[in-house]
């Protein structure tokens, strides 16, 4: 699939005319510091004969269906998460409760997490619950608490967006948006977060192939948002001893196929706090660029995912091990 790299951001009019005349679809973008036109399908782009146009630097033909996500396009991508650069040698730690439950809960846990050196705080304001009778999240009130948490700690805050109608609202309050596992093939939602310029983390759906995850990322990038990372959070297999099966192999596979940073969420596959530490350490050993870990000031009182959330004390111990391992692997924790 072709990506047309332009010499500058101007004067692509002639190329666009030719593509349109050939019946090709195209999108002009400035992403990853490149001015490009993404055009498809292949045969119509070839027919347009734009290779010799003076404004064209090169026409890249990627070998995968996800041209913007693939390493044929760029080798590695990265973006800032607070003081760290996700996708570089930095190891980025995002932690916080499953759900925002109250201002006290968030501020208390956030202070402890900050002391442990995390780079961003997470908290769900809209919760995707299997049962409609379970706690659904505080909604906009939760977003306000997240904004306050950022103001108090100086750390960026992240939350899940479940619906296109909530994207602008969430983007007004928080710094990082994530797409939950149940929504990562909601293509309207992916496009909508792509239209924001906030970093977007896409969780792998538990029945989703790696190629499908990369195509989900493609939807976001095609809207012009180049701050995209994916999160491996476990898939469904026949094994019932853990909540989901963490696909450790997905880490090197994604890093081979795409330039995107890879985060691992060890909490949801573990399902119980005993397994969070080994999964977190395994993820780092396998090359993850970051971790997203659930931590609650009082897990036994949590309104969702109480079995798997670490106490601040447990998290502190885990951070010490993470730091030791990072050092061995030559990863920096800024
Ligand atoms: C969560 O992060 O709290 C969550 C609901 O995760 P997932 O979408 O991966 O199930
Ligand atoms: Mn959760």
């Amino acid at each position: 699939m072709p990506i047309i790299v332009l010499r500058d951001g101007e004067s692509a009019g002639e190329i666009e005319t030719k593509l349109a005349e050939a019946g090709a679809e195209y999108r002009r973008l400035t992403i990853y510091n490149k001015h490009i036109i993404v055009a498809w399908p292949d045969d119509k782009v070839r027919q347009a004969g734009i290779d010799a146009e003076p404004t064209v630097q090169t026409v890249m033909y990627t070998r995968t269906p996800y041209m913007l996500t693939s390493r044929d396009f760029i080798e590695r991508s990265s973006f800032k998460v607070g003081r760290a650069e996700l996708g570089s040698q930095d190891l980025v730690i995002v932690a916080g409760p499953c759900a925002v439950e109250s201002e006290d809960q968030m501020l208390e846990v956030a202070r402890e997490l900050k002391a442990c050196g995390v780079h961003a705080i997470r908290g769900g304001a809209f919760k995707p619950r299997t049962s409609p009778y379970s706690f659904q999240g505080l909604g906009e009130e939760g977003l306000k608490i997240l904004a306050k948490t950022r103001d108090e700690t100086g750390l960026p805050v992240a939350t899940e967006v479940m619906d296109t109608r909530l994207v602008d609202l969430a983007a007004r309050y928080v710094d990082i948006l994530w797409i939950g596992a149940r929504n990562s093939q909601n293509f309207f939602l992916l496009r909508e977060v792509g239209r924001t310029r906030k970093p977007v983390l896409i969780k792998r759906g538990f029945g989703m192939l790696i190629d499908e995850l990369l195509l989900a990322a493609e939807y976001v990038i095609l809207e012009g948002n180049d701050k995209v990372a994916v999160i491996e959070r476990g898939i469904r297999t026949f094994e019932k001893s853990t909540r989901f099966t963490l696909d450790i192999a997905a880490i090197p596979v994604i890093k081979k196929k795409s330039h995107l940073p890879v985060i691992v969420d060890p909490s949801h596959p573990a399902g119980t706090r005993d397994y969070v530490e080994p999964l977190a350490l395994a993820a780092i050993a396998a090359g993850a660029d970051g971790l997203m870990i659930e931590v609650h000031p009082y897990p036994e009182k949590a309104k969702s995912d109480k079995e798997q959330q670490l106490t601040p004390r447990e998290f502190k111990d885990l951070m010490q091990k993470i730091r030791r391992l990072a050092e061995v692997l030559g990863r920096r924790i800024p």
Side-chain angles (χ1 to χ4, degrees):
M1 289 205 143
I3 298 174
I4 302 154
V5 184
L6 305 170
R7 289 193 195 284
D8 54 52
E10 320 299 316
S11 62
E14 186 66 15
I15 302 168
E16 290 178 337
T17 308
K18 287 194 169 180
L19 288 167
E21 277 168 9
E25 297 209 49
Y26 61 89
R27 189 77 59 90
R28 187 155 149 198
L29 299 169
T30 298
I31 48 173
Y32 303 112
N33 297 316
K34 288 183 202 296
H35 301 292
I36 62 167
I37 296 176
V38 190
W40 67 96
D42 274 22
D43 53 338
K44 295 209 163 125
V45 179
R46 280 183 211 277
Q47 209 178 305
I50 37 89
D51 299 59
E53 285 291 325
T55 45
V56 173
Q57 190 169 53
T58 46
V59 181
M60 303 167 68
Y61 289 90
T62 60
R63 290 159 292 182
T64 59
Y66 32 86
M67 44 186 157
L68 300 175
T69 309
S70 100
R71 276 178 65 215
D72 291 343
F73 177 36
I74 51 173
E75 184 57 28
R76 289 282 168 232
S77 61
S78 67
F79 56 88
K80 278 249 164 296
V81 173
R83 62 189 182 281
E85 181 82 12
L86 178 65
S88 72
Q89 65 157 336
D90 292 356
L91 194 59
V92 176
I93 312 295
V94 183
C98 180
V100 177
E101 296 169 5
S102 71
E103 188 174 310
D104 287 350
Q105 170 235 20
M106 276 312 288
L107 294 180
E108 181 174 350
V109 78
R111 272 183 218 116
E112 308 233 34
L113 294 171
K114 183 176 180 171
C116 292
V118 305
H119 304 99
I121 307 277
R122 63 153 282 158
F126 301 93
K127 294 306 299 176
R129 305 307 298 281
T130 303
S131 164
Y133 306 114
S134 302
F135 177 60
Q136 303 287 305
L138 297 182
E140 186 168 2
E141 183 54 31
L143 297 175
K144 288 182 181 162
I145 295 171
L146 283 166
K148 180 144 193 198
T149 305
R150 184 224 1 262
D151 295 344
E152 294 271 320
T153 59
L155 294 172
V157 290
T159 206
E160 173 171 353
V161 279
M162 298 201 330
D163 190 290
T164 50
R165 291 168 294 184
L166 299 170
V167 171
D168 285 344
L169 183 73
R172 246 179 273 146
Y173 290 104
V174 309
D175 309 291
I176 300 168
L177 304 173
W178 88 73
I179 304 290
R182 289 155 193 79
N183 264 312
S184 25
Q185 285 191 302
N186 180 336
F187 304 114
F188 279 74
L189 182 58
L190 292 166
R191 284 195 196 276
E192 201 64 33
V193 294
R195 287 182 196 125
T196 75
R197 289 298 172 263
K198 301 274 176 180
V200 175
L201 315 176
I202 307 171
K203 289 189 136 191
R204 180 183 184 183
F206 36 79
M208 210 171 172
L209 300 173
I210 290 170
D211 277 1
E212 291 167 339
L213 177 61
L214 296 178
L215 281 164
E218 189 84 8
Y219 268 93
V220 180
I221 303 170
L222 188 57
E223 295 302 320
N225 187 336
D226 60 8
K227 298 194 200 88
V228 179
V230 293
I231 304 183
E232 163 61 37
R233 48 75 74 211
I235 52 176
R236 213 157 243 171
T237 68
F238 53 81
E239 182 53 64
K240 290 187 181 154
S241 316
T242 54
R243 190 173 173 196
F244 297 95
T245 299
L246 183 66
D247 184 5
I248 283 283
I251 304 162
V253 172
I254 294 167
K255 294 204 79 80
K256 183 168 183 182
K257 292 186 162 202
S258 99
H259 56 77
L260 298 177
V262 181
I263 295 176
V264 168
D265 166 353
S267 304
H268 290 86
T272 169
R273 66 182 58 78
D274 298 351
Y275 304 141
V276 173
E277 176 176 305
L279 296 184
L281 296 175
I284 297 169
D289 299 297
L291 294 172
M292 179 187 265
I293 302 176
E294 285 190 342
V295 184
H296 192 288
Y298 310 99
E300 71 287 356
K301 292 194 196 147
K303 293 188 176 170
S304 57
D305 289 350
K306 62 163 72 163
E307 300 301 326
Q308 72 197 28
Q309 301 203 60
L310 300 184
T311 62
R313 173 81 234 172
E314 288 165 335
F315 179 73
K316 192 172 172 210
D317 291 345
L318 173 56
M319 274 304 280
Q320 275 171 4
K321 292 187 185 168
I322 289 173
R323 285 183 193 284
R324 295 220 301 272
L325 183 55
E327 199 175 320
V328 172
L329 295 169
R331 307 280 316 230
R332 219 170 67 102
I333 303 185

